[in-house]
Amino acid sequence: MIRHGFPLKGIHFDWDYSTDYTPEQQKAYEEMVLNNYEVDPAYFQEKYNMPVGELRQLPSPLTPSDPSTPSTKQQNNNRPFFD
């Protein structure tokens, strides 16, 4: 462009190579990272301009019962279906 007479001497061009994600893609990406890595809370403070507090305690997941042990409902039905 300088050869064509544009006054651009000393100026450089910088291309933005960042990827644009849809909100759904961004959410999926951040969930994947959070599920697999420790993430500094400052990332969310800077990205979303919101304060990040202490980590809350998540309830423990329910553990499935042992299939070999009959449930309480099954234990109370010892009578035959037809009398």
Side-chain angles (χ1 to χ4, degrees):
M1 291 179 73
I2 293 172
R3 281 192 251 162
H4 294 286
F6 289 92
L8 301 175
K9 193 164 202 117
I11 296 176
H12 71 280
F13 180 75
D14 191 17
W15 187 261
D16 181 12
Y17 288 103
S18 62
T19 305
D20 290 330
Y21 294 107
T22 65
E24 293 81 15
Q25 290 173 323
Q26 184 67 35
K27 181 180 180 288
Y29 170 77
E30 288 178 356
E31 284 178 346
M32 183 269 308
V33 171
L34 283 170
N35 288 335
N36 295 296
Y37 300 98
E38 292 292 325
V39 179
D40 185 5
Y43 166 78
F44 293 102
Q45 288 176 335
E46 293 172 18
K47 181 166 181 84
Y48 297 108
N49 193 25
M50 61 177 255
V52 177
E54 294 292 320
L55 183 64
R56 0 179 231 171
Q57 293 293 334
L58 298 176
S60 61
L62 297 176
T63 56
S65 60
D66 184 8
S68 64
T69 307
S71 70
T72 306
K73 190 174 186 180
Q74 290 174 340
Q75 290 174 352
N76 293 337
N77 288 336
N78 292 333
R79 300 181 323 194
F81 183 73
F82 295 105
D83 290 324

